[in-house]
Amino acid sequence: MSDAARRQLGFLSRAETAALARFGVVLPDPGSVLVCADAGLEEGVVLWPNVILQVSTGGRMAVGRGTNLFPGTRIVASGGSVTIGAGAEIGEEGGFTVKAGAGETIAVRDEARLLGGGSLTLSNRIGRGAQILGPIRCENCILGDGGSHREPEPDRRGGVLKGSGVARHVEVPRGHVIQAFGLFADAVIRPQSYFHPKP
């Protein structure tokens, strides 16, 4: 994309995007990344190729230290607020879309992991260490705080959604998981140790 087209759409020029490296942002391929000037990026954020960070209509966006945004990730604050904590992993295995419109708030806390082509729309709170695994469309969901996926005790990890389909007004507390292939609101909630029993 030309610099003229970038500016017309509200994005930084190629040179301005590459210059984010001076502030500790890691960009393996700056020419493939689209970033708005209003996107707040802390040191150590990694923007892999084909990432889009778009802020418009008075929206707000902040991405915490050391977060990895993998190829195909699109984060949009179009009048709403998107806050992503430190050490999160977003978009591995197929990208991910996060979009907050006017009056909406999406908060993704530290060490959360969102992968597999899913999305967050409307307002959502994804707790510390929580995970969304698969092409799941989440609307107005809450996943509880806990340890990351590296926590050795599964029932101490953040809440998890896994599978595919639509999750609306779903709440998953710490140490629990909903696996579904369709409507998550109709599915059973189980302890994470159900899927990860001790030998």
Side-chain angles (χ1 to χ4, degrees):
M1 179 183 289
S2 70
D3 281 347
R6 284 172 175 258
R7 290 194 178 94
Q8 182 179 353
L9 295 172
F11 296 111
L12 298 174
S13 69
R14 293 179 188 178
E16 290 166 338
T17 302
L20 293 172
R22 295 200 305 258
F23 303 99
V25 177
V26 181
L27 302 106
D29 183 10
S32 72
V33 174
L34 298 174
V35 181
C36 283
D38 291 335
L41 306 175
E42 292 191 13
E43 184 178 357
V45 170
V46 182
L47 303 181
W48 290 95
N50 302 315
V51 166
I52 300 173
L53 304 179
Q54 188 172 5
V55 183
S56 64
T57 325
R60 294 181 299 160
M61 181 187 302
V63 182
R65 180 184 298 269
T67 282
N68 264 275
L69 303 181
F70 289 96
T73 297
R74 180 174 178 244
I75 301 176
V76 180
S78 179
S81 172
V82 177
T83 305
I84 297 171
E89 301 174 25
I90 300 179
E92 197 169 18
E93 300 180 15
F96 208 90
T97 298
V98 178
K99 186 174 182 180
E104 297 166 356
T105 300
I106 295 176
V108 179
R109 297 201 61 199
D110 298 351
E111 298 188 278
R113 189 162 69 136
L114 315 178
L115 57 81
S119 67
L120 297 174
T121 59
L122 305 179
S123 291
N124 296 269
R125 184 188 182 280
I126 308 304
R128 184 178 63 253
Q131 301 178 78
I132 298 172
L133 309 175
I136 303 166
R137 181 180 178 89
C138 297
E139 301 174 350
N140 294 319
C141 292
I142 299 174
L143 303 186
D145 290 319
S148 76
H149 67 283
R150 299 177 183 88
E151 162 62 49
E153 292 291 337
D155 293 343
R156 295 180 182 171
R157 297 173 187 170
V160 175
L161 296 175
K162 60 188 293 186
S164 63
V166 179
R168 292 190 181 98
H169 302 284
V170 169
E171 183 168 353
V172 183
R174 172 187 185 224
H176 287 76
V177 57
I178 297 176
Q179 181 180 42
F181 301 91
L183 295 177
F184 279 73
D186 296 338
V188 176
I189 184 168
R190 293 186 170 98
Q192 291 187 38
S193 54
Y194 176 89
F195 293 95
H196 305 281
K198 291 184 177 180

